[in-house]
Amino acid sequence: MADIQTKIRTKTQGDMTDVLVLIDHPMETGQRPDPKDKDKKVPAHYIQKLNFSLNGKEIASTDLGPAVSKDPLIGIKLKGVKPGDKIKVTWSDNQGQSGNGEATAG
């Protein structure tokens, strides 16, 4: 399978920082018929866990599932982030794949 990209964008206004994470992921539910063989279904493939870290310390974690759309865009707001702080996002899916992305707060 091709590499799954994780992109992070941050925007700071005052003491609040918006963190947007875009993951290029198929997010298959396992319910859609396979276009090559109508008797089969496309195997489920979705992100199960998403973790946010600030300067190496985990600050948020969430469970995702098959109800989340393809290429999910997920955002959180952080308070007290300083310019130069490192924000890292890691994820893992139900097929054992994982990925991460990192950004520096501006």
Side-chain angles (χ1 to χ4, degrees), residues 15-106:
D15 67 339
M16 296 298 292
T17 300
D18 291 323
V19 179
L20 287 175
V21 179
L22 176 64
I23 304 171
D24 183 22
H25 195 280
M27 300 300 286
E28 286 287 347
T29 64
Q31 301 298 313
R32 189 168 62 91
D34 188 335
K36 296 176 185 170
D37 184 354
K38 297 291 182 193
D39 294 331
K40 294 183 179 178
K41 297 195 182 229
V42 175
H45 188 195
Y46 54 86
I47 297 172
Q48 291 182 306
K49 195 76 171 174
L50 185 66
N51 297 311
F52 293 84
S53 300
L54 178 63
N55 295 324
K57 181 179 176 185
E58 186 172 303
I59 54 172
S61 178
T62 185
D63 295 322
L64 302 178
V68 178
S69 67
K70 179 181 178 182
D71 301 335
L73 177 65
I74 298 164
I76 64 170
K77 292 183 181 281
L78 300 175
K79 188 174 185 178
V81 175
K82 298 175 185 133
D85 282 352
K86 301 282 186 194
I87 300 166
K88 185 173 182 178
V89 175
T90 59
W91 58 265
S92 60
D93 68 23
N94 67 320
Q95 291 190 358
Q97 293 182 313
S98 61
N100 63 70
E102 191 168 316
T104 302

